Amino acid sequence: MWFALAIAAAVCFGIRGIFYHWSSQQGMNRNLMLSGVFAAGLFVCLALNATLSQPWNDRVLYGLLMGLFSFAANAAMYKGFATGKASSVALLIALPAVPVVLLAYLLWGETLTAGQWAAFLIIVTGVALVRFTGDFSWQQREGMKWGLAAMLFFAFSDVTNKQAAVAGAAPFPMLALMFACGTALFGGWWLREKFLRQRAFSGGTETAPQERAEADGALIRAPWSEWKTFLWGVLAGLFNAAGMIFLFWAFESGITGLVSAIISLNVVILLLYARFVVKEPFKPQETAGLAISLAGVLVLHLVS
């Protein structure tokens, strides 16, 4: 059952990635959009918990840690894309399953069988090929630093999610806290930027070009309205919320490293979108990576 739940989570996160990819080309503030993403998850989890009446206890506080790790991962990811090569950063943030396997062994003594190790390595290799564009350079140290930080924070979020499942935390109150934390942090970041812009304009000066380039909420095209941006984030957040719920259930009964590896396959969904909707041609290593990743999933299904 955990295998199907992990696949469902990967599909949901892949659709979320399509929203993010499209949004990155529009004139919208990313922090406000991400605040909408987390706000949608908060509403969904509170609504479901109102129906199911799951308990609020100290175990659901893991959600606050997950919210902090998710916020830090997204912030590091955007910083990495701003300061380094996109391919280098993308490769790193696609591989949180690698540190997750190590952390799962250290924390809970989880080990993999020979067949599971083979499937794990096949999936990770395939995902790495999909994200590797051939211009990977260790000289982009600043971007690499932020990409590594993003990978680790995504891994910490997965491990915290697993720990919450091990501790018996009720999923909807725990995830509600995670989404509330993310909403507050991204919303607060957006409000701070808005305040600084308003103060700059009221003082008769415009934000310096360098500050605009460094701002994570910088606009790419003609800006969307704040309300439209937030609602777009809410729409993307429905898929993110579904993915997080499926992921929690997968972690309850699945092996942490394998679940995390399957989740990384969400990049395949984004790749298929780019090929068949955006009409971008497949590069040879992307085609090979796609085939290897799917082969890894098949091997994992056979040995599990």
Side-chain angles (χ1 to χ4, degrees), residues 218-279:
L219 302 177
I220 299 175
R221 293 182 181 175
W224 284 29
S225 69
E226 293 176 353
W227 186 240
K228 184 180 177 181
T229 297
F230 183 80
L231 287 180
W232 180 257
V234 168
L235 184 59
L238 295 178
F239 292 99
N240 184 56
M244 290 302 301
I245 292 169
F246 288 137
L247 180 59
F248 181 90
W249 287 338
F251 276 135
E252 278 189 318
S253 56
I255 299 173
T256 312
L258 296 181
V259 172
S260 186
I262 292 175
I263 296 303
S264 68
L265 292 175
N266 70 83
V267 68
V268 172
I269 306 296
L270 186 56
L271 181 63
L272 293 174
Y273 160 79
R275 174 65 182 90
F276 294 107
V277 179
V278 184
K279 304 300 182 181

Side-chain angles (χ1 to χ4, degrees), residues 64 81 136 144 153 164 244-245:
L64 293 177
F81 283 135
F136 187 86
M144 293 288 293
F153 281 123
M244 290 302 301
I245 292 169

